[in-house]
Structure formats: structure tokens, C-alpha cells
Amino acid sequence: MTGVRRLLTALVTNPVAIGLLVVALFAGAGWMSGGTLQILTFLLVNILLAQSMNLLTGVAGQISLGHAGFFGMGAYASGILMKSYGLGFVATVPAAVAVAALTGLLVSFPAGRVREFYLAMMTLAFGLIFREVVREWNDVTGGAMGLSGVPSPMLRTLVIFDLKIDAAWYFRIVLIITAAVMWLLHNFIQSRFGRAFYAIHVSEVAAGSIGIPRAATKRLAYVLSGALAGLAGAFYAHLVGYLGPESFDLPRSVEVLVTTVVGGLGSMAGQVLSAVLFTFLPEKLQVFAQYQFIVYGIILAFSLIVIPRGLAGLLLLPPRFVKRAALRRVGDAAEPIRAVQATSEPGLRVERVTMRFGGLTAVDDVSLSLQPGRITALIGPNGSGKSTLINVISGIYQPSSGVVRFFGRAITGMADHRIAASGLVRTFQDPRLVPSFTVRENLLLGAHRLFRRNGLAAALNLPGAIREEGRHLATVEAVLRMAGLAEVADRTIESLPYGYRRLVEVGRALLAEPRAILLDEPAAGLTEAEMALLARLIRAMKQAGLMVLLIEHHMDFVAELVDDVVVLDSGRVIYHGDVQGMRRDPQVIAAYLGETEDVDA
Amino acid sequence: MEDALTLILAGISVGSVYALIAIGLNLTYWTTRTMNFGQGSVMMLGAMMTAVLVAGGVIDALAALASLVVIAAIMVFTEVFTVRPALKIGGSMGWAVSTLGVGIILQGVAAKYFGSQAVAFPDMVFSAQDYVEVFGVRFALQYLAILVLSVALVALLELLLRRTVWGRAMRAVSMDADLAAVAGIPVRPIVLGSYIASGLLAGIAGMLIAQTGGTVDPAFGFDLMIFGFVAAVLGGIGSSSGALLGGLVLGVIEKLVGGYVSTAAAHGIAFALLVVVLVARPQGLFGQREVVKV
């Protein structure tokens, strides 16, 4: 079965095969009947629309139940601009893309603030608002009567640069643009941008912890998804020549969602397969057309449960999120983590931080500082406020009072991703990785904050973007070896046991090349062998001149690693010093073992 | 001034409809933190099946009862085969999509077997001409029935939730189903029961609403469900009294906008309100923010 999948994947992702197909369709268009050309063009529209939905819902994880709104925006924009304002095709299509992208941007502001089923409701509302506007704004959209007479190649009324465009040439134009857009999109998703989309999809908190700004990333996803849907809409408008509000109502949104879910969320190739299926099935199968709505319902109700990965999951290997050209370029070269310039002053200062939740004081007037090249352990009984303190330092909580300074700058109140981007990263008690990513991809995700090349360079696969990705892949290789993960580098996280995940998360934090790193119980649940590897990673951090704060219960592990110990009890610092001193400290003993009786009295 | 009063009363009328829908949506949220995105179709089915049966010569009460039995069965199916498995996927995408799917199936089935045209709905509780006068303005009894039912339900549900062991059990299930099961709470029956109750409420709401308009078609419930969402969100999801207030506020706003701005804008405003409230006060106008542990 895997063999078949590999073969199919090789075929559908082979650039030569795809190129030949495009050329064949381009050349063959001259011999096709009008009906064939129409349905093939419609297929291309559906492919673009499915890619748009997949980018937003499948990749970035933002469910959309109102996608017909973006599609309609593009369709009406191009149709109205051409019919009512006489603009040419070369102007109306980019304008439609821009209008739909802008709509995406506008939707992203409210939508970016909600998640889960609140987002489902909100996108549903967006689709309905679009419908209401189209229905009621008679003067512009034609209202419920619709807008007819949009120039169309089917009626020989579409003119580009004084040339009458027929169905064959329209198909060719749409084909070339679709192929180009798919190529750009593919490259883009395989860059740090696509990885960032996946990161916020899986865990926004974890994404923030490695410096991925969730709001901006979501905005980008909405804008691009809107633009793609707008492009599809513009092509659709001129294909059919008539726009009515019912074409952009809920059933259309459902249809796109069905296509995307069946294709397989996250898989571009799956979207194409699924678009083919849902474009030709109603045509070829009259029975299907009759029961179309019921079938769509059944698919929505059960496909995520029965085949969560859709057609792509059945037929193809899962998509990868590293540029193949960059991988080839690096080979097995390894580049160690660069050392941080040593400074003698403490880089991170926690000054009198207090954190209250209602009546509970979780962290009570805590001060501590971290020195470059030193490992500080933060220990204490359960509920003593250790994780809360890390949440305050990393910007997840805003403290009730007190300040955290990072190289002199107050970072309290800063967004978590900005704190991470400034070089202060953390790990979580429960590893928060992207399960469908390989170990290598997850580690590369850690380097997100170090990438400088823009999205256009990534989409065009410019040499600079490939070089940059290659450089970070070499660092990934070094960390893989150091953490004993080289063997499993190309296995997905979800296929690996727990211990590996821990190591990957710590490695991922290291890949950010931070100046300070906060580790929340990294050794919990590890075997002895894994703990040795973890210790090696942490020592490497120290050697690289990082400040390390380590929360850990495993005393032997702590004792052989750390330089300083801070002990918390009920939110207060009860000890600060070295390990030997801690073992003799009566307050620490009392906190851990209960009050001791004074036998001499 | 009398205009305003007329509009406000009209708003309270439709608002009580939205409240009733929102209360039904809340029931499943109580136990599983899920909401049935197919609720609109359940309302439609309740009304449409009753209408078709009555047209076929079945007496009103029997037709309504038969429809409710079918709805109960559909809700059991929804919970067992689409919500429960989808909850295992994690996140809300699974169940939001799968319940929407069930709704679409129902709508498709109704269109196929009852026809996609509107069917006349009989007067069941009051006739459309019955009214009482409030400060000289007519208030239709059909709407009054809905308002009374909504208020009574809210009182009943608040009492149930606060004062009875079942209410406590339900809250325990919504907090942590596994823990509740360990504590000996019959989690499965409670969850299933909440789905059935939610569906029955939707079915009854569908009938009461259909008689105010006089007709019902397969697309009947969808927009109403969205208004129900708006009402639930306005009042804070999960809160019964909030749903009532949210529904009334929504209804009054809608009618005032329709009366003073434009009837064309009335629906759009409601959808826009959903967006605004979700952004500005996701806990609802009357709710308290939940603290999320990271």
C-alpha cells in the first residue's frame, strides 16, 4: 500500500509530469468541444477555490463556513468592473484578487480573535452578511435578479487587448495562471510561512513561544486565501457570464468545504483530486446531481471521522514542509549552534514579580536573575508557582506587579511572540509540537525567528531563500546528532514515542538560537538514556553561553547539571544558592518533607 | 412614539423566538460544550413533517407528536454517530462540520421527499388573528405563546441547573466528562438526554415559529439557527437567562433597525452583531469571562 502511495505521490508531484499535462491540455484545447472546455475551465476554478479553502482551513487551521463570500467578492468585483465600468480583463482580474484579499484582511481582524466553533459561527455570519449585501444592494449587484451580461468567452463577448477570446483561449489563460499560482503556493507552503501556518494551526501558544506572531500569521492566511478565492471568482464570473446571489450562498460554501475535506486537509494534491471528483461527478452521474445535497451532507457528517485525511491520506504520502532544493543543497552537512557573545552582567532579571489569580497568590514577590553560561534550577513542590513564573517571564501571563527585564529592557506586558523573537524562548510541560511534521521540520520551525527572506522570495524559490533554508537545515542537522535524533529525523512526531518528543521540543527551542531558554520539566517521563541526551543538550546550551532556567523534580538530574538553585514554596523564594547548600537548608527540607521537630529542645 | 412601541413589541415577539432557539442550542453546550450546527434543519423537520402529516389528514396533536419522536431519534443518531466520534478528533472542527453535515442531510431529505416548495402550516396553538392589546398596540397571541414558553423554560432550566442534583451532574459532565464518570455520574445518558431535549425544543420551536409565518420550506431553519446563535452569544453561551435576554435584545434591535433604518438592513445587522459581540465580548453581554489555564 505504501508502495502504491509512493508511486502515485511521485507521479502527481513530479514537475515534469505536471508540466507535460499542462502542455498537453494547452495544445489540446483547440480540438475540444465547447462543453468540454467549459467544464475543464470550471474544474480549474474549483481547484483554485479548493486551494484557497485548504490554505485557510487545512494548513492554517482556521475553519471557514463562509468561503463563498470571498469567491463572490472576486466574481462581483471583476464582473461589475468590466460590465458597468468598462475595464479590461487584465485590470479587472487583479482588481478582483485585490478586493477579495482586502476582504480577507477585514475578516481577519474579528476572526483572528476567536477560535474553534466561535470562528465557525463568525465565518458563517460573514457568508450571510455577504449574501445580504449582494441581495439588497440592487444598484450595483443587480440584487436578487442578479447581474447578467458579464462579458464571457462562451458568448464571444470577452475581449482582451482587442482580441475576441474564445472558449479555448479562455481555458488556456486560466490554465496557465492556475498552474503558475499552484507552483507559487506550493513553494510558499514549503517555506517558513507554511510552517508558521501549521504551527498556529496546532497550538497558538506554542507558536508564540518560538516567536511566531499569531495575529499577523492569521492575517496573512486570510489575505492569501481571500486572494485565491477572488481569483477563482473572477474566472468564474467570466466563465458563466451571469452572477446571482444564489451562486454565492451557503451551498457554495458547503461545496468548497466538502471538496477540501474530501481532498484531505493540508494536501494540495488532494485538493486537485477532490476538485476533479466533484466537478465531474454531478456531470456524469445524474443520480448524484439529484441527491447532491444529501451526499454533501453525508460527506460532511462522516468523512472527518472515517477518513480524516481524505483522498490524499488514502492515495498519497503526506505532504512535506521543507524545500527539497534546500535539503539537496545541504546534504548531511552540519553547522553547530553559534555561541552567544559572553557578557558578565545578568541578562534576565525578574524583579519583585507577583502573580495573583483572584484570591490566590501563585507567585509572591519573586526576584531572581540569570547569568549567561549558567544553568539555574527552579525547584519546589507541586503548586509552588514554578510554571506560573515561567508563564509570566515568557509573556503568557501579565504579572499583577513587578517587572521582568531582558538585557535591561522591560518585557512585562510584551506579547509572548515578541519576547521569543527577542531571544527568550521556552518549552512546555507537555510537548507542543506539530504532530504531522517530521522531527526535522519541527526543529526547523524553531529557527523561524532567524529567517529574513520575504514571502515572495520563498514563493519564487529564489536562490537566497533556498540558501537561507539550507543554512538552518545544517544547524538542524547538528542538533539532531547532538540529541541522538538523527535516526528518526524524517519520521513524523505522531509516530514517535514520548521521550523523543521531549527532546525534539528542547532541540526546537535551541534552534531559535536564543540568549535565554526556559525549560519546564524537560526530563519528566524520560528514560535514563534519554536523560543523558537531554543533559548533553543542556550542557551545549551552557557552552554556547545561554542563560538556562530549568524546572525539574528529578534531583540527581538537577544536581549534576546546575550552577544555581532557586527554591520556591507557596509562590515565595525560600532558598537561593548552590545545590549543596540547598540540601542542608532547613526551610527547603521543611517544604519538601514537612516540619522537622527540634530534637535538642 | 407609538411607532417605537409597535416596533419594540414586534421585536419582543421575534426575540422570544430567537430566545427559544438559543435555549435549545445551549442544552448540548451544557453537557458537551458542543452546539448542534444542524439545529436549523431539526426545527425545519419538526415543522415540515407536522405540516405534511396534517395535510395528509392526521390530527394536529398526533402529527406533532410523531414529528417529535422522529426528531428524538435523529438527535440520538447525531450524538452517537457524529458528535461522539468527532469529539475524539480534538478541537471543535470535527463536530461543527459533522453536525452541519447532518443538518444538510436533513435539509436534502426534506427537499427530496416533501418538495422544495413552501408547505402551508396549520394554526396549532392560536390563530394568526388572535391578539391582546398592550398600550393600544396589538400583540399576537402566537408570539405571546412563544414568549411564555421561553420564560417558563428559562425558569425551569435555571431551577434545574442550580437546585437539583441533575443540574450539578450536568455541570460536572461539562467540566470533565471522564472525572464525572469516575464519580459515578451516568455521563452517557445525560449527554444523550441533553441532545434529545435540545432537539425536542428545536422541534417545538420550529412548529411555533412556522405557525406565525403560516408556511415552512426546507431552508426554513437555517437563518433562524444563526439568529439563535446570535442570541446565545449575546447572552453568554450556556446561560439560559442570558439566552432569553439576548434573544429579546436581538429581536428589538432588528425591528428598530428595520423600522428606522431600512428593512433590507435588518438581517445583515443581526449577523454583524454576532461578529461584533464575538470579538468584543465573547463571554456575552451578561456573562463572565472564563479563565483558561495554559
Side-chain angles (χ1 to χ4, degrees):
Chain A
M1 198 56 211
T2 320
V4 177
R5 279 193 203 135
R6 187 164 297 137
L7 195 71
L8 280 171
T9 310
L11 195 67
V12 301
T13 58
N14 188 319
V16 178
I18 295 170
L20 282 176
L21 183 66
V22 170
V23 169
L25 285 170
F26 191 95
W31 286 281
M32 292 177 198
S33 72
T36 311
L37 286 167
Q38 190 162 13
I39 193 157
L40 281 180
T41 314
F42 190 52
L43 168 65
L44 295 172
V45 168
N46 282 342
I47 288 176
L48 281 174
L49 195 52
Q51 297 300 346
S52 158
M53 183 76 171
N54 180 50
L55 184 68
L56 188 60
T57 302
V59 178
Q62 310 299 308
I63 187 172
S64 170
L65 297 181
H67 224 64
F70 297 117
F71 183 61
M73 268 298 187
Y76 274 99
S78 190
I80 291 166
L81 285 174
M82 190 176 292
K83 186 183 174 227
S84 311
Y85 296 88
L87 291 181
F89 190 73
V90 282
T92 63
V93 173
V97 171
V99 166
L102 189 67
T103 310
L105 180 67
L106 290 177
V107 170
S108 77
F109 288 105
R113 300 191 50 168
V114 293
R115 289 190 296 141
E116 303 278 324
F117 72 99
Y118 293 98
L119 182 61
M121 281 187 208
M122 190 181 274
T123 51
L124 210 51
F126 160 69
L128 294 173
I129 290 171
F130 177 79
R131 182 191 71 185
E132 292 295 321
V133 170
V134 167
R135 267 194 200 158
E136 305 295 343
W137 202 7
N138 280 319
D139 304 347
V140 177
T141 62
M145 295 299 292
L147 192 72
S148 55
V150 174
S152 162
M154 301 303 151
L155 304 167
R156 297 296 211 120
T157 49
L158 183 68
V159 176
I160 303 177
F161 293 131
D162 290 335
L163 288 172
K164 266 207 166 67
I165 299 299
D166 63 6
W169 273 105
Y170 190 65
F171 168 69
R172 286 179 182 132
I173 293 169
V174 176
L175 174 70
I176 294 303
I177 295 178
T178 304
V181 165
M182 293 276 286
W183 181 71
L184 293 172
L185 188 62
H186 171 78
N187 294 340
F188 188 79
I189 290 178
Q190 282 196 334
S191 75
R192 70 158 153 138
F193 296 97
R195 290 190 292 268
F197 284 162
Y198 249 99
I200 58 158
H201 180 170
V202 172
S203 166
E204 291 186 15
V205 174
S209 79
I210 44 177
I212 296 171
R214 73 206 73 178
T217 305
K218 282 188 197 172
R219 253 193 324 267
L220 186 63
Y222 277 98
V223 167
L224 290 175
S225 180
L228 280 169
L231 183 64
F235 288 155
Y236 173 81
H238 300 292
L239 179 65
V240 297
Y242 162 81
L243 302 174
E246 66 284 349
S247 306
F248 309 100
D249 204 346
L250 185 81
R252 173 77 67 182
S253 295
V254 167
E255 206 178 297
V256 193
L257 186 65
V258 165
T259 309
T260 304
V261 166
V262 169
L265 292 170
S267 165
M268 283 185 71
Q271 299 309 315
V272 176
L273 296 180
S274 179
V276 170
L277 187 70
F278 287 109
T279 306
F280 287 103
L281 215 53
E283 289 291 316
K284 300 290 167 206
L285 233 61
Q286 276 310 308
V287 188
F288 179 87
Q290 205 183 355
Y291 291 97
Q292 193 166 351
F293 219 46
I294 301 178
V295 172
Y296 283 167
I298 292 173
I299 291 170
L300 280 187
F302 300 106
S303 64
L304 273 180
I305 298 162
V306 180
I307 42 163
R309 292 185 187 197
L311 287 176
L314 292 178
L315 301 173
L316 306 172
L317 297 176
R320 293 279 51 101
F321 296 87
V322 183
K323 288 191 186 296
R324 258 190 288 181
L327 272 175
R328 270 199 304 273
R329 194 190 153 83
V330 185
D332 56 358
E335 181 80 30
I337 293 279
R338 274 172 303 177
V340 180
Q341 222 165 15
T343 48
S344 56
E345 25 129 22
L348 183 77
R349 283 178 184 281
V350 175
E351 295 169 3
R352 309 202 60 179
V353 161
T354 297
M355 181 78 216
R356 282 186 214 96
F357 297 101
L360 176 84
T361 306
V363 174
D364 190 357
D365 198 21
V366 167
S367 297
L368 59 86
S369 58
L370 298 185
Q371 311 273 351
R374 281 182 86 79
I375 303 170
T376 305
L378 184 62
I379 64 172
N382 284 330
S384 58
K386 307 182 297 291
S387 290
T388 305
L389 184 60
I390 282 200
N391 283 339
V392 168
I393 298 173
S394 59
I396 288 174
Y397 295 153
Q398 177 131 23
S400 313
S401 67
V403 181
V404 180
R405 288 182 200 283
F406 191 49
F407 290 103
R409 187 157 67 128
I411 57 169
T412 23
M414 257 165 71
D416 57 348
H417 66 87
R418 289 190 53 213
I419 292 176
S422 73
L424 170 57
V425 303
R426 64 165 297 175
T427 65
F428 295 89
Q429 266 183 41
D430 49 327
R432 296 182 186 187
L433 301 157
V434 181
S436 59
F437 274 21
T438 61
V439 169
R440 195 190 303 278
E441 287 161 354
N442 266 293
L443 287 174
L444 192 56
L445 194 54
H448 182 89
R449 78 177 190 99
L450 306 170
F451 279 83
R452 289 291 169 271
R453 295 282 165 168
N454 63 28
L456 198 60
L460 288 167
N461 263 0
L462 292 184
I466 305 269
R467 252 200 317 276
E468 182 176 54
E469 184 141 326
R471 204 167 57 238
H472 293 299
L473 278 170
T475 325
V476 167
E477 188 64 36
V479 172
L480 280 170
R481 289 180 198 170
M482 191 163 38
L485 293 166
E487 304 259 294
V488 294
D490 294 310
R491 288 195 33 201
T492 55
I493 288 296
E494 58 203 352
S495 70
L496 291 174
Y498 181 80
Y500 285 106
R501 302 183 192 193
R502 276 247 168 266
L503 289 169
V504 174
E505 206 198 14
V506 174
R508 184 172 76 173
L510 183 56
L511 251 301
E513 299 194 2
R515 291 188 288 182
I517 197 163
L518 317 172
L519 304 169
D520 197 349
E521 296 195 27
L526 294 193
T527 63
E528 290 288 328
E530 287 161 349
M531 251 191 258
L533 290 167
L534 177 65
R536 197 156 92 191
L537 270 178
I538 295 175
R539 284 208 185 88
M541 292 172 189
K542 178 184 160 121
Q543 264 152 27
L546 306 188
M547 297 167 254
V548 181
L549 185 68
L550 174 69
I551 293 186
E552 197 42 74
H553 284 299
H554 203 291
M555 273 308 148
D556 297 335
F557 184 75
V558 168
E560 67 180 54
L561 264 179
V562 305
D563 304 296
D564 305 298
V565 179
V566 174
V567 183
L568 282 185
D569 184 31
S570 308
R572 268 190 294 271
V573 176
I574 57 167
Y575 175 82
H576 193 170
D578 59 13
V579 177
Q580 284 73 32
M582 174 195 78
R583 290 206 160 125
R584 288 189 302 269
D585 188 90
Q587 255 190 300
V588 175
I589 294 167
Y592 269 94
L593 304 175
E595 211 66 50
T596 49
E597 280 181 44
D598 202 338
V599 286
D600 293 334
Chain B
M1 197 53 222
E2 197 178 302
D3 273 358
L5 188 64
T6 312
L7 289 172
I8 288 171
L9 274 182
I12 290 176
S13 301
V14 293
S16 57
V17 169
Y18 303 152
L20 190 58
I21 300 166
I23 294 165
L25 286 167
N26 271 338
L27 280 179
T28 53
Y29 186 80
W30 281 3
T31 54
T32 49
R33 308 219 152 207
T34 62
M35 279 197 166
N36 183 11
F37 277 68
Q39 196 84 341
S41 296
V42 176
M43 284 190 274
M44 176 275 297
L45 202 68
M48 210 161 175
M49 223 164 86
T50 309
V52 169
L53 285 177
V54 170
V58 182
I59 49 169
D60 290 7
L62 205 62
L65 199 66
S67 307
L68 291 180
V69 170
V70 172
I71 284 175
I74 288 169
M75 292 309 280
V76 170
F77 175 86
T78 303
E79 202 282 324
V80 173
F81 293 104
T82 63
V83 176
R84 206 187 317 169
L87 278 172
K88 291 191 190 117
I89 298 173
S92 58
M93 173 120 169
W95 59 259
V97 168
S98 67
T99 56
L100 181 69
V102 174
I104 288 168
I105 298 175
L106 295 179
Q107 203 176 325
V109 169
K112 181 88 183 84
Y113 294 101
F114 301 152
S116 51
Q117 298 305 314
V119 181
F121 194 87
D123 288 333
M124 295 190 83
V125 184
F126 295 105
S127 109
Q129 280 74 46
D130 297 335
Y131 63 88
V132 287
E133 283 209 4
V134 183
F135 302 118
V137 179
R138 291 179 175 192
F139 193 91
L141 282 181
Q142 291 185 336
Y143 280 113
L144 191 65
I146 297 175
L147 182 61
V148 168
L149 179 64
S150 302
V151 174
L153 271 173
V154 167
L156 191 75
L157 291 173
E158 289 286 347
L159 216 64
L160 175 81
L161 203 60
R162 280 161 207 248
R163 294 289 158 83
T164 68
V165 66
W166 285 98
R168 277 204 294 276
M170 205 134 53
R171 269 185 290 173
V173 172
S174 85
M175 293 276 178
D176 189 334
D178 290 336
L179 209 61
V182 172
I185 294 171
V187 172
R188 294 294 332 140
I190 286 183
V191 169
L192 215 50
S194 75
Y195 261 79
I196 293 171
S198 169
L200 294 181
L201 221 52
I204 294 168
M207 294 174 205
L208 290 175
I209 298 159
Q211 70 166 0
T212 64
T215 61
V216 54
D217 62 78
F220 160 85
F222 195 84
D223 281 12
L224 284 171
M225 173 181 77
I226 305 291
F227 292 132
F229 279 146
V230 184
V233 168
L234 270 176
I237 287 186
S239 156
S240 303
S241 46
L244 181 61
L245 279 173
L248 296 180
V249 167
L250 174 64
V252 170
I253 289 177
E254 188 193 318
K255 288 297 169 190
L256 286 178
V257 168
Y260 288 110
V261 185
S262 142
T263 44
H267 274 192
I269 284 291
F271 303 138
L273 199 62
L274 176 63
V275 175
V276 171
V277 175
L278 279 175
V279 169
R281 270 186 83 83
Q283 74 274 35
L285 296 179
F286 321 107
Q288 279 178 351
R289 189 176 277 274
E290 273 184 61
V291 178
V292 183
K293 191 174 187 320
V294 178

